[in-house]
């Protein structure tokens, strides 16, 4: 199991999360300014697949944007979970908080 983050934020993100648990434990960070593409571009997701040398069905994106994260990842054949902070869980693939992720993955 490997964990990482993917963001449209700028390079400084890595410095920002360096002291934020559990983000400081991620093995990989993919920042659009370094990847060369922005989410929801399929090239963004393909670049991550290439760097990790993993097929899309072995990747999971947990994100809070229905279009840039959830729909874009699904369109690239990734597994995806929508983090719905406002509590609107209209999909079986949505959670209200990261603490629910483990239970969802166990099903």
């Amino acid at each position: 199991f490997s964990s990482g983050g993917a963001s449209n934020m700028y390079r400084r993100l890595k410095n920002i999360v360096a002291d934020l648990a559990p983000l400081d434990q991620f093995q990989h960070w993919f920042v659009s300014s370094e990847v060369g593409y922005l989410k929801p571009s399929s090239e963004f997701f393909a670049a991550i697949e290439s760097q990790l040398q993993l097929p899309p069905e072995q990747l999971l994106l947990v994100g809070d944007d229905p279009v840039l994260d959830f729909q874009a990842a699904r369109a690239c054949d990734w597994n995806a979970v929508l983090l719905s902070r406002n509590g609107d869980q209209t999909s079986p693939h949505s959670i209200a908080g990261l603490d629910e992720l483990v239970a969802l993955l166990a099903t």
Side-chain angles (χ1 to χ4, degrees):
F1 174 77
S2 181
S3 62
S7 176
N8 279 345
M9 201 171 174
Y10 43 89
R11 286 188 178 111
R12 200 169 73 107
L13 173 68
K14 293 177 184 178
N15 292 329
I16 293 170
V17 300
D19 296 321
L20 294 174
L23 302 178
D24 61 340
Q25 300 300 309
F26 284 6
Q27 291 97 358
H28 308 281
W29 277 100
F30 302 97
V31 182
S32 60
S33 61
E34 295 175 354
V35 172
Y37 303 97
L38 290 168
K39 291 183 293 179
S41 169
S42 62
E43 289 90 353
F44 180 86
F45 294 92
I48 294 171
E49 293 169 21
S50 176
Q51 287 184 36
L52 294 176
Q53 298 182 352
L54 291 171
E57 62 272 5
Q58 290 185 10
L59 297 168
L60 168 68
L61 185 125
V62 178
D64 61 359
D65 189 291
V67 176
L68 298 180
D69 295 324
F70 185 78
Q71 291 176 10
R74 300 285 290 199
C76 293
D77 296 326
W78 284 36
N79 298 291
V81 172
L82 180 62
L83 177 59
S84 181
R85 292 192 171 112
N86 64 6
D88 179 26
Q89 294 177 261
T90 58
S91 164
H93 301 286
S94 64
I95 55 175
L98 292 176
D99 56 321
E100 296 178 18
L101 184 59
V102 174
L104 179 67
L105 295 175
T107 60

